[in-house]
Amino acid sequence: MSEIARYQKQFYYTEKTKSVAFRKQQLQTLKNMIEKNEQRIMDSLNQDLNKSEFDSYTHEIGFLYAEINFMIKEVKEWMKPTKVKTPASHFGSKSYIHKEPYGTSLIIAPWNYPFQLALAPVIGAIAAGNTVVLKPSELTPTVSSLLKQMVEEAFDPAFFTVVEGAVKETQELLEQRFDIIFFTGSVPVGKIVMEKAAKHVTPVVLELGGKSPVIVDEDAKLDVAAKRIAWGKYTNAGQTCIAPDYLYVHRNVKPELLSKLKDSIEEMYGKEPMQNDAYTHIVNQKHFSRLSAYLDNGELVHGGQTNPEELIIEPTVLDHISWDDSIMKDEIFGPILPVLTFDSLDEVITQVQTQEKPLALYYFSEDEQKQQKILDQLPFGGGCMNDTLFHVANPHLPFGGVGPSGLGSYHGKASFDAFTHQKSVVHQTTKFDFSFRYPGSKLGLSIVKKLLR
Ligand code: NAD
């Protein structure tokens, strides 16, 4: 493993990864690999997280097919050098941005969508002409081992390989010299990755987390808001980086919204969600204990049951929460929704401005002026007006955080850009050579003054 970056670098310099034919062929190989193993992938997601086939297909497998198809269609166009304007001072020359792959890429993945979040960046890396070392999460071992087997069968390891392991193995990889590091995971580990990358000024993309609010105003359509919040929060048992972390609701509509939220939870997961096979479990005992400790915060208005043997926590709503409660201190990353109440939008804006810039933000209101106010005054990675999560699935929207919730973005063209260096080059003519540009020319300064004013 210690030589893996160097080994891939040698392959990179054979120039093979750079042609459009190679990139498309490898993307197709990736798609074939997934198609061939669909059932095994779903079984492994079920084994590690009790994911249902519906969730596995929609959020993991289907998402990747859409991303691969989009890349195969567009990559040739994106690879072309872009001609840009050239100022009069550069008369005779042309200017281009050449799309250069970074070279060798290291991709480090989390466990919550362990298949999709491992391979979505790989698609961008391949489309942009890089080699790939992928380090899946050790917390979803069945998926990690399947990824390794499948990639070994389908790809030349000099081009794309999987290294399994936990902290020690990841840190060993981070000691090696890659040309770009793409990390998805928690804020504290993101900081470690950035520190390691700083040693060689290696470019990084950091897809991190944080506390993402959902705000429901008094003029919101409550039926649809309740459904979309329940769906966004409890999908994958709340273990979604862009899940609404907490609900901020206008006092005038709170009782009605909470009642509709309970109905929506029951519609989606039944009256006995603990018995529902399609409801995702908590990833491990450590996270189960961490989440269970939040259940005594505020006042329980829905759910609250747990099953420690199976690591299940019911979709739960806690009312009368304040910023002093422990549940408001860190990202929850589980199926517990704390509820805060507000009387004016300005109050919400002031409060959210005191928090770290979130990865996502959702606002429910029919009033476009108030929507604009939220957009103008609150920084956040991305989000939706009158929905949750949906922005993540539009390949035309770059996906990422801002500040502590992340650095850089990906999906669709943004993935290609994330793994591409924009190499700016002036292509100069040699047919003539103006003497005024050089020191010693008598006319030089007066011409330069005319050109650069
Ligand atoms: P994590 O940071 O614990 O682990 C992520 C990866 O880093 C894993 O592969 C792990 O092996 C490795 N790692 C862990 N500790 C390390 C260390 N000390 N040194 C080097 N490597 C280390 O994150 P997680 O628990 O797997 O995922 C949950 C977090 O990820 C949440 O905060 C969530 O919001 C975030 N997340 C963000 C996105 C996004 O797209 N922005 C997506 C999913 C998850």
Side-chain angles (χ1 to χ4, degrees):
M1 183 172 105
S2 62
E3 290 298 308
I4 202 158
R6 207 193 308 262
Y7 175 57
Q8 288 207 339
K9 189 82 156 200
Q10 280 170 5
F11 184 77
Y12 177 70
Y13 279 127
T14 63
E15 302 294 313
K16 281 189 188 153
T17 65
K18 293 182 182 171
S19 74
V20 66
F22 182 87
R23 298 182 199 202
K24 285 189 177 185
Q25 180 199 45
Q26 298 302 316
L27 288 169
Q28 190 58 51
T29 303
L30 188 64
K31 188 172 175 195
N32 297 345
M33 177 191 94
I34 301 172
E35 275 171 348
K36 192 174 136 197
N37 290 288
E38 255 182 25
Q39 194 54 49
R40 288 171 83 199
I41 297 163
M42 295 209 244
D43 291 346
S44 67
L45 287 163
N46 187 266
Q47 173 78 30
D48 285 340
L49 288 160
N50 199 55
K51 275 202 197 203
S52 67
E53 294 210 346
F54 178 82
D55 281 1
S56 295
Y57 196 90
T58 334
H59 304 146
E60 309 244 9
I61 295 169
F63 183 95
L64 292 170
Y65 288 153
E67 189 78 354
I68 294 173
N69 294 342
F70 190 62
M71 293 283 175
I72 290 178
K73 187 162 158 267
E74 302 290 346
V75 67
K76 186 173 175 195
E77 199 54 38
W78 298 338
M79 284 169 62
K80 288 181 184 159
T82 314
K83 190 172 182 197
V84 296
K85 286 184 184 169
T86 303
S89 55
H90 291 52
F91 185 76
S93 64
K94 291 176 182 152
S95 306
Y96 291 91
I97 302 168
H98 294 267
K99 313 297 168 62
E100 182 180 69
Y102 276 115
T104 53
S105 70
L106 170 62
I107 295 173
I108 303 169
W111 53 264
N112 59 326
Y113 291 83
F115 192 70
Q116 190 255 104
L117 290 172
L119 291 183
V122 171
I123 295 168
I126 294 177
N130 299 265
T131 66
V132 185
V133 173
L134 169 65
K135 211 300 288 175
S137 172
E138 71 282 13
L139 299 194
T140 37
T142 322
V143 174
S144 173
S145 136
L146 178 63
L147 273 166
K148 185 163 177 63
Q149 281 172 41
M150 292 189 315
V151 170
E152 260 175 12
E153 274 171 27
F155 290 93
D156 177 349
F159 169 62
F160 176 17
T161 190
V162 172
V163 174
E164 289 192 278
V167 176
K168 179 173 155 286
E169 291 77 6
T170 315
Q171 298 218 340
E172 278 170 25
L173 285 171
L174 287 167
E175 291 302 325
Q176 296 191 41
R177 195 146 181 196
F178 289 90
D179 296 307
I180 178 165
I181 302 170
F182 188 107
F183 172 81
T184 309
S186 62
V187 180
V189 181
K191 289 179 185 171
I192 296 174
V193 170
M194 202 169 178
E195 262 182 54
K196 297 272 186 193
K199 188 172 167 199
H200 300 295
V201 200
T202 305
V204 285
V205 176
L206 300 176
E207 295 286 338
L208 309 178
K211 286 185 92 60
S212 299
V214 54
I215 305 161
V216 179
D217 218 325
E218 57 181 334
D219 63 326
K221 291 204 169 150
L222 298 182
D223 281 323
V224 81
K227 271 190 210 144
R228 291 174 185 177
I229 294 168
W231 171 72
K233 178 70 185 184
Y234 302 110
T235 288
N236 212 33
Q239 302 166 115
T240 303
C241 57
I242 49 167
D245 185 275
Y246 60 94
L247 166 65
Y248 231 140
V249 56
H250 195 287
R251 191 178 304 281
N252 293 347
V253 293
K254 185 166 97 170
E256 200 183 340
L257 180 74
L258 293 191
S259 155
K260 287 180 190 295
L261 198 53
K262 286 189 216 175
D263 294 344
S264 301
I265 294 170
E266 282 185 10
E267 265 169 43
M268 284 174 215
Y269 297 101
K271 285 204 185 304
E272 306 264 358
M274 311 282 284
Q275 314 302 329
N276 185 339
D277 278 346
Y279 184 55
T280 305
H281 294 188
I282 305 304
V283 67
N284 62 16
Q285 186 61 54
K286 189 175 141 215
H287 282 284
F288 178 84
S289 305
R290 179 183 65 78
L291 289 164
S292 301
Y294 291 142
L295 291 170
D296 64 2
N297 282 210
E299 183 192 315
L300 183 69
V301 292
H302 187 78
Q305 284 189 68
T306 64
N307 177 338
E309 282 78 41
E310 303 259 345
L311 304 179
I312 313 174
I313 298 180
E314 213 181 348
T316 296
V317 182
L318 301 174
D319 194 7
H320 302 298
I321 293 292
S322 84
W323 285 95
D324 296 328
D325 286 310
S326 59
I327 198 166
M328 294 310 290
K329 302 297 174 204
D330 286 311
E331 181 183 7
I332 300 167
F333 221 56
I336 309 173
L337 183 68
V339 182
L340 300 158
T341 316
F342 70 89
D343 294 294
S344 83
L345 195 56
D346 285 331
E347 182 192 332
V348 176
I349 289 174
T350 308
Q351 186 57 51
V352 175
Q353 280 172 343
T354 66
Q355 305 299 305
E356 298 289 17
K357 294 176 182 174
L359 180 60
L361 186 143
Y362 309 109
Y363 180 57
F364 286 82
S365 164
E366 293 300 302
D367 183 331
E368 285 184 10
Q369 278 181 352
K370 289 201 278 181
Q371 291 182 5
Q372 192 58 47
K373 190 175 163 96
I374 291 282
L375 286 177
D376 290 343
Q377 298 189 19
L378 289 179
F380 55 94
C384 307
M385 294 293 150
N386 291 314
D387 211 335
T388 65
L389 312 192
F390 243 48
H391 62 299
V392 74
N394 178 350
H396 303 282
L397 284 174
F399 175 78
V402 55
S405 56
L407 180 70
S409 53
Y410 77 131
H411 288 176
K413 169 82 162 43
S415 284
F416 177 86
D417 290 343
F419 286 93
T420 299
H421 167 60
Q422 310 248 343
K423 198 177 192 176
S424 298
V425 180
V426 165
H427 294 254
Q428 182 62 284
T429 182
T430 51
K431 289 195 180 126
F432 50 84
D433 189 31
F434 293 120
S435 58
F436 66 78
R437 58 183 277 187
Y438 301 113
S441 151
K442 285 198 183 115
L443 281 173
L445 185 59
S446 60
I447 295 178
V448 169
K449 277 187 172 172
K450 282 203 175 95
L451 288 171
L452 301 179
R453 59 170 59 242

